[in-house]
């Protein structure tokens, strides 16, 4: 077999397919794999043995066939490729952070019942069919350990031919479990909920039968801590996917910020960054979700932080340049769609530093183009792959004017 008979995979595209030099896409291939004339694949040195028996059917992962080096390169390329599409070259591309296996502390699974069989898992890639998880290489073992007993519990509260959502988070007190789409009818089902929560030491058990969440078990107030400050945790609120991924994002932000001066944390959520900045400097934190910003306000007050929490829709009412110019730096962590409305206001401001945390390289790059056009320089980007073996990539971009 000669090089003329086969083609080499040279990179992995944004959606996970391997790509040859002439632009052809082949699923489940890694850089260095070879495509034979008959279309079959000869594995190269970067093709790894997937650690999970459910791969590639399970939609929870797309890239378990990549080795560590290739996956890290993919995470970085997702960021630099999106920026290149906007004509932006960052001053520095920092080494990527990749979360280890079995560290995911937050998961949303689906459950379905057909007769006596209960299936819990992720959907197949591109399908509604569920994979009944018998193992998982990404979930924290404390979350995965609940799946087997949950099948028994759902036998009591999930009607036949119905589906439910199983939403789990690891918080300060343990596992916070939210079950949506179930029906609790009768004494056996009611007692089953209490027995399950006690037996498995849940931090909280919340049920949503369609009328909104109702807490059935919460021995002590459910909290999540950032920077040493505990904040009340509304059921299945947003958390960074892994503790180490959160630490990498927070570290990249904190390393860039000036030592003194007030900081604005926009799209602040429960305070991942605002509280990590410490107790000594004044922080303005804005968020559009009322329950979340209230939790942050109360938690910051208990911890005696110098934090002003503002319930504000930053899409409809972004901070204007006059408001922004009061701050030594801006931190923002918007949803996947980005923050165009707020970015345009920042671009017109005189704020010297912007730390932009993004969960979508494409929307980040579009927003970055507005800042660069206004005179900001993209000093560095830090890629973060905390959704290990998926195409989902996060990053921190540091802009200076």
């Amino acid at each position: 077999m000669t090089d003329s008979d086969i083609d080499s995979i040279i990179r992995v595209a944004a959606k996970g397919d391997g790509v040859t030099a002439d632009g052809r896409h082949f699923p489940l291939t890694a850089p260095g794999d070879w495509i034979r004339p008959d279309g079959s694949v000869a594995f190269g040195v970067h093709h790894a043995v997937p650690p999970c028996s459910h791969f590639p059917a399970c939609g929870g992962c797309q890239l378990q066939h990549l080795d560590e080096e290739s996956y890290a390169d993919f995470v970085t390329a997702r960021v630099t490729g999106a920026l290149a599409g906007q004509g932006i070259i960052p001053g520095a591309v920092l080494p990527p952070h990749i979360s280890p296996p079995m560290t995911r502390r937050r998961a949303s699974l689906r459950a379905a019942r057909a007769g006596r069989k209960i299936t819990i898992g992720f959907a197949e890639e591109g399908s509604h069919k569920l994979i009944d998880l018998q193992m998982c290489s990404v979930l924290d073992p404390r979350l995965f350990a609940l799946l087997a007993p949950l099948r028994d519990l759902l036998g009591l509260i999930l009607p036949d031919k119905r589906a439910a959502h199983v939403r789990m988070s690891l918080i300060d007190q343990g596992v916070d479990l939210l079950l949506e789409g179930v029906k609790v009818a009768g004494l056996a089902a009611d007692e089953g909920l209490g027995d399950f929560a006690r037996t498995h030491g849940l931090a909280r058990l919340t049920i949503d039968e369609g009328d909104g969440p109702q807490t059935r078990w919460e021995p002590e107030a459910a909290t999540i801590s950032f920077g040493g400050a505990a904040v009340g945790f509304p059921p299945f609120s947003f958390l960074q996917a892994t503790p180490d991924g959160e630490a990498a994002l927070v570290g990249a932000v904190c390393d860039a910020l000036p030592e003194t001066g007030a900081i604005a944390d926009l799209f602040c959520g429960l305070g991942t960054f605002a509280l990590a900045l410490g107790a000594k400097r004044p922080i303005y934190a804005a968020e559009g979700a009322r329950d979340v910003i209230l939790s942050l306000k109360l938690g910051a007050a208990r911890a005696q932080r110098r934090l002003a929490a503002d319930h504000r829709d930053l899409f409809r009412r972004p901070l204007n340049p006059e408001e922004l110019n009061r701050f030594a730096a801006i931190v923002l962590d918007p949803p996947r769609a980005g923050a165009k409305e707020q970015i345009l206001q920042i671009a017109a401001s005189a704020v010297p530093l912007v730390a932009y945390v993004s969960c979508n390289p494409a929307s980040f790059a579009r927003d970055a183009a507005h800042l660069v056009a206004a005179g900001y320089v993209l000093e560095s980007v830090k890629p973060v792959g905390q959704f290990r073996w998926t195409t989902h990539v996060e990053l921190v971009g540091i802009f200076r004017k």
Side-chain angles (χ1 to χ4, degrees), residues 13-235:
K15 293 184 179 180
D17 287 349
V19 184
T20 61
D22 60 357
R24 289 176 295 144
H25 287 234
F26 294 87
L28 302 175
T29 55
D33 286 354
W34 296 90
I35 310 302
R36 298 188 181 98
D38 64 359
S40 62
V41 179
F43 294 159
V45 295
H46 295 295
H47 201 110
V49 176
C52 180
S53 61
H54 296 302
F55 184 83
C58 177
C61 295
Q62 297 86 44
L63 299 171
Q64 288 192 9
H65 59 287
L66 300 186
D67 68 0
E68 291 288 306
E69 179 183 347
S70 292
Y71 180 62
D73 288 346
F74 169 82
V75 169
T76 298
R78 287 278 284 114
V79 177
T80 57
L83 287 169
Q86 297 291 336
I88 300 172
I89 300 176
V93 179
L94 303 179
H97 173 85
I98 307 298
S99 290
M102 295 189 292
T103 55
R104 188 89 60 83
R105 64 175 173 182
R106 183 176 187 269
S108 180
L109 306 175
R110 287 177 55 208
R113 179 172 186 170
R116 300 180 64 180
K117 180 175 175 57
I118 305 291
T119 300
I120 304 177
F122 296 106
E124 283 189 5
E125 192 74 19
S127 168
H128 295 293
K129 181 181 178 181
L130 290 186
I131 298 294
D132 196 28
L133 290 182
Q134 303 302 314
M135 65 176 297
C136 185
S137 298
V138 294
L139 289 182
D140 185 293
R142 288 168 290 180
L143 297 182
F144 181 77
L146 284 179
L147 298 192
L150 259 174
R151 292 182 178 92
D152 294 331
L153 175 64
L154 289 172
L156 296 174
I157 60 175
L158 181 58
D160 192 19
K161 298 180 181 179
R162 293 282 298 276
H165 289 285
V166 177
R167 309 195 193 275
M168 301 184 288
S169 308
L170 276 171
I171 59 174
D172 293 341
Q173 294 77 21
V175 178
D176 182 36
L177 177 62
L178 168 63
L179 301 176
E180 297 176 338
V182 296
K183 189 70 176 178
V184 182
L187 181 61
D190 197 60
E191 291 180 342
L193 291 175
D195 291 343
F196 182 89
R198 281 188 292 271
T199 299
H200 300 287
L202 295 186
R204 178 172 57 196
L205 174 60
T206 305
I207 299 297
D208 189 342
E209 299 179 76
D211 302 320
Q214 297 181 350
T215 298
R216 293 299 192 100
W217 172 268
E218 189 177 12
E220 58 180 288
T223 62
I224 188 71
S225 294
F226 304 109
V231 178
F233 187 74

Side-chain angles (χ1 to χ4, degrees), residues 238-317:
F238 175 78
L239 282 177
Q240 296 294 340
T242 65
D244 64 280
E246 177 185 291
L249 294 169
V250 169
V253 169
C254 290
D255 287 348
L257 295 180
E259 292 185 4
T260 59
I263 305 294
D265 182 4
L266 309 182
F267 307 95
C268 66
L270 287 168
T272 304
F273 298 96
L275 293 173
L277 298 178
K280 297 182 179 180
R281 69 192 313 162
I283 306 294
Y284 166 83
E287 167 62 47
R290 186 182 297 275
D291 58 342
V292 169
I293 198 67
L294 178 60
S295 290
L296 173 56
K297 184 176 183 177
L298 294 174
R302 284 194 297 266
Q304 298 184 323
R305 298 297 179 90
R306 297 176 63 189
L307 187 147
D310 187 6
H311 176 228
R312 182 163 178 164
D313 184 339
L314 294 169
F315 295 105
R316 297 186 178 184
R317 195 163 63 93

